[in-house]
Amino acid sequence: MKKLLLVALALLGTYSATAQKTINGVTVEKSITVASQELVLNGAGMREKLWYDLYVGALYVTSKSSDGNRLVAADETMAITLDITDEAVTQEKMKTAVEEGFGDSVSNKERKAIQSEINTFIGFFKDAIVKGDHFEIAYVKGTGTVVTKNGKNLGTIKGLNFKKGLFGIWLGNDPADEDLKEGMLNN
């Protein structure tokens, strides 16, 4: 009986280790493919503000890391996905959040150098954002930051400096949400 219990627990442990993660009803994939390269889930969490669960954010990388600053600075393919979970997230609120996020992520001098790229990125949020929308923000080494919404390509922004500022919104020293950052770095 004791051996049977140990085998059952071992099998359950194996299943749990390979199972996908579900956060607030959103299934977070354990890997995704970006530019023909498989990226593995580094971690995921919920972006919350006041009493709203705004979106599930997940970080995918080629090599897992708990060092946010290293990931922000890295010139390697990686992606952040955002799954909108609340109708409180609108295109206007997303634009404002991005502006504020860059304000916290980079210095004024760095921001001025990438302001054109920031404006282009904000322009990707011109259409309505609704609960259930899925954004993928992927930095592809040698290409730039590729943004999709529900599988539709919104555009590409060249430059590692832009990627550093953008990924710094979630993973930098002054992130949009500390708990989300911790979740994304919890590999």
Side-chain angles (χ1 to χ4, degrees):
M1 181 67 174
K2 196 174 188 181
K3 285 183 182 179
L4 182 60
L5 182 59
L6 288 173
V7 169
L9 286 173
L11 288 173
L12 182 61
T14 302
Y15 174 75
S16 297
T18 60
Q20 294 171 319
K21 187 180 241 184
T22 301
I23 301 172
N24 199 25
V26 174
T27 300
V28 179
E29 299 298 328
K30 59 183 178 179
S31 67
I32 61 173
T33 301
V34 171
S36 301
Q37 186 170 7
E38 184 176 18
L39 303 177
V40 296
L41 178 65
N42 196 74
M46 175 62 66
R47 167 70 166 111
E48 299 170 324
K49 192 167 186 179
L50 300 173
W51 55 87
Y52 296 104
D53 291 338
L54 301 176
Y55 59 80
V56 173
L59 172 65
Y60 294 89
V61 295
T62 56
S63 179
K64 290 187 175 191
S65 175
S66 59
D67 184 343
N69 290 326
R70 187 197 77 72
L71 291 168
V72 166
D75 186 14
E76 54 192 54
T77 300
M78 62 183 68
I80 290 176
T81 60
L82 307 176
D83 287 281
I84 308 302
T85 58
D86 195 297
E87 61 274 350
V89 180
T90 64
Q91 63 269 34
E92 289 308 314
K93 288 181 181 175
M94 184 67 89
K95 291 175 184 179
T96 300
V98 168
E99 286 281 355
E100 291 172 357
F102 273 103
D104 293 335
S105 176
V106 297
S107 70
N108 286 336
K109 181 180 178 182
E110 292 167 320
R111 185 183 175 118
K112 284 179 184 177
I114 60 170
Q115 189 61 53
S116 175
E117 291 86 350
I118 294 170
N119 294 342
T120 299
F121 182 74
I122 289 171
F124 294 157
F125 302 107
K126 67 182 184 325
D127 294 331
I129 296 174
V130 298
K131 183 177 177 179
D133 279 345
H134 174 82
F135 290 91
E136 184 177 289
I137 302 164
Y139 176 74
V140 179
K141 183 177 180 172
T143 300
T145 302
V146 181
V147 182
T148 65
K149 177 183 178 185
N150 301 326
K152 179 185 174 197
N153 189 322
L154 300 178
T156 300
I157 302 171
K158 294 185 184 299
L160 179 60
N161 286 336
F162 174 75
K163 176 263 184 183
K164 289 177 182 179
L166 181 61
F167 278 62
I169 291 173
W170 295 280
L171 304 173
N173 293 329
D174 191 7
D177 186 306
E178 284 286 346
D179 291 335
L180 176 57
K181 175 184 175 178
E182 184 179 313
M184 287 180 161
L185 297 177
N186 182 19
N187 56 38

